[in-house]
Amino acid sequence: MQAEDLLLFAADAARAMLENGGETYRAEDVAMGILASQGGMEAECFATSTGLMLSFVGADGQVRSVVRRIKKRGMNLERVSRIDRMVRDLAADKLGIDEASKELDVIERSKDRPLAVKALASAAGAGFFTLLFGGIALDAATAACIGVLISLLAVGITRLHLPDFLISLAGGALAAGASLGLHAYGLPIDVNIVVIGVIMLLVPGVAITNAIRDTIAGDLVAGLARGADAFLTAAAISAGAGGAFTLWQLLQKGGL
C-alpha cells in the first residue's frame, strides 16, 4: 500500500471510530496504531468529536498529513469493537493491510439493527427503567409502549436527515404528552414514573461518560465538546417534556 493510501486508510478508521461513538483517545490510538504497524514514523493524531488531523513521516522522509471532518455522530458500539479488533489483528500480524482495508469497508457498510429489534430494545429499556424507579407492572407496560413510539420517532427523524437535537426534543414531548393523555383517559398510571422511565432512553449516558474520560485523559477540547453536546441533548429532553407538561396544564385550565 502506498504511503498516501495508508494515511487515508488510518484517517478513515479513526473517523469511523468517532462517528460511531468511540472515545477520542481510542480514535487517536487506532490511527497511530495502523501507521505504526506499517512502519510509519513520527505519527501524530489530534482528534475531537468534530474532526481529526493526522500526519506521519514515510519511508522516503516526506511528511504526509490529512484532515477529516466528522459530519455525523451516532452510537454503534458493535462497529467500534470491530474496528478496535481489526487494528489489534493488524498490529499482531494476523491481518494484512489490504485485508484490513477491506474489513473497514465491510464494517462501514454494515447495516444497523432491524427496526423491530430497536423497537423491542426500546420497549424493554423503558419498561425496566420504570420498574427500577418504583413503578408497577401497568406503569412498565405503558412505558414500554411509549418507548416503541419513541424508537419509531427517532428512526423517522434520522431518515429525514434532521438534527439529532429534534429527537431529544420531540422524544421528551412525546413521553410526557402520551403519559398525560393516557392518564387523562382513565389509565391508572403514575405519570411521573412513566415519564422518567421513558426519557431514560434519550439520556446521553455514553456521551457524558466519554466526555468525562476525555477530560480526565487530558483531551480538554474533546471533553468540553462532548460535554456541551450532552448538555444540549439533556436540555432538549427537558424542554420537550417540560413544554408538554406546561401545555397540558394550560389546556386543563382553559388557558388556550
Side-chain angles (χ1 to χ4, degrees), residues 9 16 59 79 97 172 196 212-213 223 233 255:
F9 169 58
R79 290 179 182 172
I97 187 64
I196 292 173
I212 295 173
R213 293 187 65 176
T233 300

Side-chain angles (χ1 to χ4, degrees), residues 33-191:
I34 291 173
L35 295 177
S37 69
Q38 304 303 308
M41 299 177 291
E42 300 182 32
E44 293 289 347
C45 183
F46 176 73
T48 69
S49 59
T50 56
L52 65 94
M53 294 177 285
L54 177 64
S55 68
F56 82 108
V57 178
D60 56 1
Q62 296 295 317
V63 178
R64 294 170 175 83
S65 61
V66 68
V67 176
R68 281 283 187 270
R69 285 289 308 276
I70 309 302
K71 297 181 180 179
K72 61 178 181 179
R73 292 187 296 274
M75 191 60 58
N76 191 322
L77 299 184
E78 180 182 359
R79 290 179 182 172
V80 170
S81 176
R82 290 178 64 182
I83 293 171
D84 187 65
R85 184 169 61 249
M86 177 198 70
V87 175
R88 291 177 184 273
D89 290 343
L90 185 62
D93 292 329
K94 296 180 181 179
L95 198 66
I97 187 64
D98 292 330
E99 295 173 322
S101 180
K102 293 178 181 178
E103 176 66 17
L104 178 62
D105 185 63
V106 170
I107 293 172
E108 292 206 80
R109 291 177 181 272
S110 63
K111 296 182 179 180
D112 290 334
R113 299 293 183 185
L115 180 58
V117 175
K118 292 181 179 181
L120 181 61
S122 296
F128 283 114
F129 270 123
T130 301
L131 293 175
L132 181 65
F133 291 125
I136 61 176
L138 181 60
D139 297 331
T142 303
C145 294
I146 300 175
V148 171
L149 295 178
I150 286 183
S151 69
L152 298 176
L153 174 69
V155 170
I157 291 177
T158 301
R159 288 180 178 176
L160 292 174
H161 303 290
L162 296 174
D164 291 341
F165 180 86
L166 291 180
I167 296 177
S168 301
L169 183 66
L174 177 59
S179 300
L180 289 168
L182 291 172
H183 183 265
Y185 277 102
L187 196 63
I189 58 174
D190 188 319
V191 173

